[in-house]
Amino acid sequence: MTTTQPLELLAPLSGVLLALDRVPDPVFSSRLIGDGLCIDPTSQTLCAPLAGVISNIQDSGHAVSITDDNGVQVLMHIGLDTVNLAGQGFTRRVVEGQRVEAGQVLIEFDADYVALNARSLLTLMLVVSGEPFTLLAADNGVVAVGQPLLQVSPGEAAEGAEEEEGDALFSKPLTLPNANGLHARPAAVFAQAAKGFAASIYLHKQTQSANAKSLVAIMALQTVQGDTLQVSAAGADAEAAITALVELLAQGCGERVTAPAEEVEVVAPVSSASVLRGVCASPGSAFGQVVQVAEPELSITEQGSTLAAERAALARGLQAATDALQTLQAKAAGSAQAQIFAAHQELLEDPTLLEQAHRLLDEGKSAAFAWNSATVATAKLFQGLGNALLAERAADLADVGQRVLKLILGIQDSAWDLPERAILIAEQLTPSQTASLDTHKVLGFVTVGGGATSHVAILARALGLPAICGVPAQVLALANGKQVLLDADKGELHLDPNLAEIEQLETARKQHVLRRQREVAQASLPAITRDGHHVEVTANVASLQEVEQSLTLGGEGVGLLRSEFLYLDRNRAPSPDEQTATYSAIARALGPQRNLVVRTLDVGGDKPLAYVPMDSETNPFLGLRGIRLCLERPELLREQFRAILASAGLTRLHIMLPMVSLLSELQAARRILEEEALALGLSELPKLGIMIEVPSAALMADVFAPHVDFFSIGTNDLTQYTLAMDRDHPRLASQADSFHPAVLRLIATTVTAAHAHGKWVGVCGALASEALAVPVLIGLGVDELSVSVPLIPTIKAGVRELDLDGCQTLARHVLGLEEASQVREAVRRYRAATVETSPVVEH
Ligand code: PEP
Ligand code: MG
């Protein structure tokens, strides 16, 4: 070991220091990438914490690493999930291989843009080469850029670089499926897995190679989706290493990938220059021609004529806009568009906005000037609040502002003369623009602004059109008429698509559209198997809006109302009246013939609630979660019971307790419910059931069954607790599979116990929303499938293709298999055989 002077790392930014444990991203907080610290930035320039060479700077400009002469390697990562911004908001000031001084500017970033468009601005500084360090600044304190922050002891890194020894084995080439290539998160997962083998391992991309155990080396390969990669290894466990790592790559290294590797492999690799990346706002794909959409500049005179004339002009403009919005709402009745235009209409009546405009009129300004200034100022205010949702509402305000402005100025909105097969490209598409589109001619949207929750995204999904947003601004320079391929599932716009890609995506798109149309058209039909067995298909919801949407998509009730999500973005508890009103509105929407299953607050673990403060726990998933927390704070539960009970006569009311693991929890909750029902003078209790999401509850289902009216199986938690795999762990994502026979056996135990006591069983975890799982769940005897709203038609259609008899044989078969992948394979074979020909199960 060499002895070298300790090295001081300077603060790369000004801001507030946070311990790594507090970063809400397990890849960083678990130190998978490396140990270090986190800064919540107050400055917008990232500077070098040490002198050295830029060993990697990501094309997207959100991450950079420096290696000093002693091999100390420091990675800085600006924000969380910022790779999705595809470079937008970042300006690189250095290049790879460049030598930099400590304190030198590396990257400038637009903090507002990043805060609004990415998950978080939290910036990480990690010693990825593994040397120990001590903190020089006070933990949780404020730091200034350039201030000494860490003292690193060089020469003490756990592992050094290694050479490939002996004859290396090479894997077959494979195509990288990750939408953003191997950026920090998947690269860390891959490097971590490689470190588990003694062999020396390299990852190859064309002529470049990277030490597979080095995160920075992998990131330096600058891989992109579609790259052809190979893994090589030399040493005793080389073969095992290659098998494991190739599988890990194919599965996305902990990231969700849109297509299995075999399917991706047939797509020709694409060079990064021919693809522009954004994020998926609405799924699907399309091949068409570029149509650039630009708003004309409006000329506004500042000075008004008489006050009376300008007031009248503003009033006329507002009235005409209200009329137009009402017509649009009527046309789109019941859809997402209608709600957006209702919100626009509300903005027109906003007193603060009108007050601002009138103040300017009183100062002698024109109606157009006054209205425009008021809307622009308010939109800016929304944008500056650091809240992504409000920022998106700013786009709505700009849209409605423009509508009124044109009416005041007497500018007619000319209907767009669109060519066939148009892919619309815009800085930002407004809801008004999208609503007036001829959807027969438009195949998709691509925008520079907007997010997955923007109204344009909602509209695109409602129209069933593929859309991506957050695409680099260079998209605005594409020539009208250029043929492009929009692959929204992957968040990509291909500028030079080849024929094979086009044909493949076109076929998939047509099949998808036809299938979806058929499923939606038949959504109101009941889910009855070919041999006459009815399965209830209900919705998992978190809002009244979702309940309404579920009814239009054939939902037969609500199988899971996640009540904690009704008030997620609040820092004060909703008042009892507010809670009552929310539940009653949902109950009324469902009516007396449908089930409403309200789950009581399921707070804790992955779902902290701002207005229910909790002590920090070492392992929140095993701590005071769900019913445990509610029984600790019975006043919360009492209040919620009272609010729910107010809906008793309005619907078929069910109350469900989450995370029950002991019979005593159910009994304690039932006592409280009975007391509250009595106090309200109710003669009959609503149905009371429990979620089965802890193995103890499943194994003891026969003990619970006499005390409940129903069970609903939460396969998300049941899987994590059965397999002891954190449901959010990036590396375990592919193994924490609810198709595992262990989970299925617990479902079988639960169903048998429930049916023996005449009680029904639902599944409300994500497994129920997987079409592939439906035959197994039906075969196991599950009575109700509560699924995510958009999937209701698909799951119902899936049930109608099956036979109960065949499903039961299949279920018996899969319970005896060894692992999840075998179950998936068995179901695939079963479906292929039954859907196309007669029901046969292969054993
Ligand atoms: C589950 O655990 O499967 C479930 C439905 O509950 P949640 O996902 O809300 O924890
Ligand atoms: Mg759960």
Side-chain angles (χ1 to χ4, degrees), residues 599 602 607 625 659 691 693 714 716-717 727:
R599 179 173 74 183
D602 185 17
K607 300 188 209 111
R625 263 196 88 180
M659 272 293 291
M691 290 197 70
E693 36 188 3
N716 310 337
D717 278 314
R727 63 195 257 182

Side-chain angles (χ1 to χ4, degrees), residues 250-567:
Q251 288 172 352
C253 295
E255 276 195 332
R256 196 183 290 253
V257 287
T258 43
E262 310 89 82
E263 280 172 42
V264 176
E265 263 177 38
V266 298
V267 177
V270 284
S271 84
S272 56
S274 67
V275 179
L276 294 178
R277 292 201 165 77
V279 291
C280 177
S282 173
S285 59
F287 175 64
Q289 56 174 312
V290 166
V291 175
Q292 296 282 355
V293 180
E295 271 289 328
E297 280 285 320
L298 300 179
S299 118
I300 300 171
T301 321
E302 184 170 343
Q303 211 46 42
S305 58
T306 64
L307 179 59
E310 297 301 336
R311 278 199 177 152
L314 177 59
R316 270 198 309 275
L318 289 169
Q319 188 54 52
T322 305
D323 294 346
L325 286 170
Q326 265 168 0
T327 313
L328 282 168
Q329 275 177 70
K331 244 172 72 186
S335 71
Q337 282 106 313
Q339 287 175 18
I340 293 171
F341 292 122
H344 281 196
Q345 201 175 324
E346 227 164 85
L347 284 172
L348 289 184
E349 290 156 17
D350 187 275
T352 319
L353 201 60
L354 293 177
E355 209 178 280
Q356 278 183 52
H358 278 280
R359 202 165 350 101
L360 290 164
L361 290 182
D362 292 343
E363 288 170 16
K365 309 292 184 196
S366 71
F369 182 87
W371 173 254
N372 191 46
S373 309
T375 50
V376 168
T378 311
K380 271 214 180 102
L381 186 78
F382 280 8
Q383 262 161 351
L385 292 176
N387 174 316
L389 279 177
L390 276 182
E392 277 160 7
R393 296 305 81 89
D396 287 315
L397 188 55
D399 185 11
V400 80
Q402 197 77 3
R403 176 184 291 279
V404 176
L405 192 59
K406 284 186 192 158
L407 287 164
I408 295 173
L409 295 171
I411 295 169
Q412 291 280 316
D413 250 336
S414 57
W416 291 352
D417 196 9
L418 288 173
E420 297 291 330
R421 307 178 60 79
I423 294 192
L424 299 188
I425 307 222
E427 170 74 39
Q428 176 81 275
L429 274 170
T430 66
S432 302
Q433 285 170 329
T434 33
S436 57
L437 288 177
D438 178 351
T439 45
H440 297 298
K441 292 184 173 173
V442 178
L443 295 185
F445 306 140
V446 177
T447 60
V448 175
T453 54
S454 69
H455 279 161
V456 175
I458 295 170
L459 288 179
R461 288 198 286 268
L463 293 170
L465 292 177
I468 59 175
C469 52
V471 177
Q474 72 195 83
V475 74
L476 301 174
L478 296 179
N480 276 321
K482 180 174 174 54
Q483 303 286 318
V484 289
L485 191 151
L486 172 61
D487 186 350
D489 297 329
K490 292 185 191 157
E492 291 179 350
L493 183 70
H494 294 234
L495 307 184
D496 301 305
N498 65 37
L499 200 61
E501 284 176 315
I502 296 166
E503 282 175 357
Q504 199 184 352
L505 274 182
E506 269 297 275
T507 313
R509 186 182 73 82
K510 283 190 191 134
Q511 282 170 351
H512 174 82
V513 169
L514 285 178
R515 198 173 50 235
R516 179 74 191 163
Q517 278 171 353
R518 207 176 41 235
E519 289 167 359
V520 172
Q522 297 176 347
S524 61
L525 298 179
I528 299 180
T529 60
R530 292 192 294 208
D531 50 355
H533 174 70
H534 179 245
V535 180
E536 190 156 356
V537 179
T538 55
N540 287 353
V541 299
S543 67
L544 172 61
Q545 195 196 341
E546 275 189 304
V547 176
E548 286 164 347
Q549 200 196 347
S550 77
L551 295 176
T552 66
L553 289 174
E556 295 173 322
V558 164
L560 169 63
L561 170 61
R562 286 185 162 104
S563 64
E564 63 280 359
F565 284 113
L566 291 172
Y567 308 105

